[in-house]
Amino acid sequence: MKIKEKDISGKWNEYMLTNDQGMAVSILNYGGIITKIMVPDRNGNLENVVIGYKNYQNYEQNPNYFGALIGRVAGRIAGASFVLDGEAYHLETNDGRNHLHGGSHGFHQVIWHTAPFQTEDTVGLKLTHQSADGEGNYPGNVKVTVTYTLNNYNQLTIDYAASTDKATPLTLTNHSYFNLSGNLKNTIEEHHLAIDSRKFVELDQELIPTGRLVDSTGTLFDFRDGRVLGEGLQRHSEKNHVVLGGYDHYFIFDHKKENSVLLRDTENGRRLTVKTNQPGMIMYTANDLEEGIPLTEGISRKHLGVCFETQGSPASLHHDGLSSIILKPEEDYSKQTLFSFDVEE
């Protein structure tokens, strides 16, 4: 187990966490961004399985949110406003007339305070940030801690903890784009995916949740028994046509299985499982990823990665029937997502 720290242009630091199996995770203190995850295939070849920019300066804007920590609220808030305890709050409109991923100066653009750590069988990085009352027009002084921990079983755990002195919306996530083909050799269309979910939230033409929960049975959104992702990327229904062909929807977990997500590349044997105590996730399949961006391996193109944004749904601010994302002063925000990598023969 080891940690290596590297200076990036005199502005940021990148920390590479490496376990005894050779798996390595690289993280910036800027935005808490995961820039690389190196894992083996069935033949032991170590390759990167997330999308990252070739030029680090591109992370300063990062309109695709590659690898970033997202907050205060991950996802879209309709009309860039909400009412809490009888008071209306108006946020930045950075996605049409709506609010996206905490605004243009959200947690993805924060330089986090970092503290690397190492134990006998883990290596990790603790990131902390104090978000002031009124920052981004959100209420409350919020203290946030995000901890990345890598163990010798090729498991990356992300622990999210937060507290506030005033009731406020809060739901955090990581926005990594996964691609198990290794070094972005292929798109995700041939990846096989299973999700422990039978309901998803409908979207309108602005990609805003309508609040209607849809039973996925018999549709392209039913991944309970597993299916090839390309089926939903190539065969458009009304529900995925609205997101330019693919998925950008909130899936509600049934929590009937140990793992909420299982992603496989049958060609090279890589597998990714996701286990979380979050109520659901937004799955985004890079439907509108701009083509031609220089990446660490190759050039960007549509459907080059899939995001599993485990989180609560911002739609709960306007609709009943979804888990609340309001954090109160007497509560502690404590969420965890575990990404496990292995291979099948």
Side-chain angles (χ1 to χ4, degrees):
M1 311 293 285
K2 62 182 179 181
I3 307 172
K4 183 179 180 181
E5 183 176 348
K6 181 172 70 173
D7 176 80
I8 304 295
S9 303
K11 298 188 299 183
W12 310 328
N13 293 324
E14 184 178 51
Y15 299 84
M16 184 167 67
L17 315 177
T18 306
N19 69 11
D20 295 338
Q21 314 304 319
M23 176 177 169
V25 181
S26 297
I27 306 160
L28 292 176
N29 62 343
Y30 177 74
I33 293 168
I34 294 175
T35 58
K36 278 188 179 183
I37 298 181
M38 304 291 292
V39 296
D41 65 8
R42 66 162 59 96
N43 296 316
N45 299 312
L46 282 168
E47 293 177 307
N48 184 25
V49 294
V50 293
I51 296 179
Y53 291 112
K54 180 178 181 179
N55 304 312
Y56 280 88
Q57 58 264 35
N58 288 347
Y59 285 113
E60 290 200 54
Q61 297 301 320
N62 198 10
N64 301 291
Y65 303 92
F66 289 155
L69 293 177
I70 306 297
R72 288 187 186 188
V73 173
R76 292 178 173 86
I77 296 179
S81 64
F82 61 93
V83 176
L84 180 58
D85 294 334
E87 184 173 350
Y89 293 88
H90 299 278
L91 310 172
E92 177 189 6
T93 54
N94 66 320
D95 184 60
R97 65 187 190 93
N98 306 304
H99 180 78
L100 176 65
H101 289 335
S104 57
H105 300 289
F107 290 174
H108 64 290
Q109 293 208 319
V110 166
I111 295 182
W112 294 70
H113 179 270
T114 52
F117 64 89
Q118 187 170 350
T119 69
E120 185 176 342
D121 54 3
T122 67
V123 64
L125 187 67
K126 180 175 286 188
L127 303 96
T128 55
H129 173 61
Q130 184 77 37
S131 181
D133 184 22
E135 185 176 284
N137 288 341
Y138 285 97
N141 293 293
V142 177
K143 182 179 180 181
V144 181
T145 301
V146 179
T147 306
Y148 292 103
T149 306
L150 175 65
N151 66 21
N152 274 326
Y153 298 98
N154 286 359
Q155 295 177 320
L156 175 66
T157 303
I158 309 180
D159 286 292
Y160 305 88
S163 59
T164 182
D165 62 0
K166 189 183 296 184
T168 190
L170 188 79
T171 185
L172 312 176
T173 197
N174 177 274
H175 207 287
S176 290
Y177 293 65
F178 294 98
N179 182 323
L180 299 184
S181 69
N183 293 345
L184 306 180
K185 287 190 291 293
N186 304 309
T187 67
I188 57 168
E189 293 189 27
E190 297 301 318
H191 283 33
H192 190 275
L193 176 66
I195 305 176
D196 181 21
S197 170
R198 66 181 180 87
K199 288 186 178 181
F200 67 97
V201 182
E202 182 183 61
L203 297 178
D204 67 16
Q205 294 297 320
E206 294 181 274
L207 308 187
I208 294 297
T210 65
R212 177 173 173 252
L213 308 186
V214 182
D215 189 324
S216 66
T217 303
T219 74
L220 294 172
F221 290 76
D222 190 355
F223 289 89
R224 285 173 293 177
D225 294 326
R227 67 190 315 142
V228 176
L229 259 173
E231 293 180 17
L233 306 183
Q234 298 162 2
R235 291 169 48 201
H236 296 174
S237 68
E238 177 189 352
K239 295 290 185 291
N240 59 11
H241 179 74
V242 73
V243 296
L244 304 178
Y247 303 91
D248 196 4
H249 300 72
Y250 188 79
F251 288 77
I252 299 170
F253 293 138
D254 292 341
H255 287 300
K256 291 183 176 179
K257 300 178 180 178
E258 180 180 0
N259 297 306
S260 297
V261 177
L262 169 60
L263 183 69
R264 299 187 294 131
D265 185 315
T266 56
E267 183 176 340
N268 62 45
R270 287 192 181 96
R271 298 196 309 181
L272 165 63
T273 58
V274 182
K275 182 179 181 179
T276 185
N277 62 356
Q278 291 278 19
M281 70 171 182
I282 294 175
M283 179 172 72
Y284 173 57
T285 49
N287 315 311
D288 55 354
L289 178 58
E290 179 186 348
E291 298 194 358
I293 303 170
L295 305 174
T296 48
E297 300 91 5
I299 300 297
S300 66
R301 59 193 189 276
K302 187 174 182 176
H303 300 322
L304 192 58
V306 56
C307 301
F308 302 121
E309 302 164 52
T310 56
Q311 60 175 96
S313 173
S316 64
L317 295 172
H318 300 105
H319 302 283
D320 296 329
L322 293 163
S323 299
S324 173
I325 62 168
I326 300 300
L327 179 66
K328 299 177 181 178
E330 64 272 18
E331 300 171 340
D332 288 319
Y333 183 90
S334 180
K335 302 295 182 182
Q336 183 183 85
T337 298
L338 171 64
F339 298 97
S340 300
F341 296 89
D342 65 0
V343 294
E344 55 186 7
E345 298 303 325

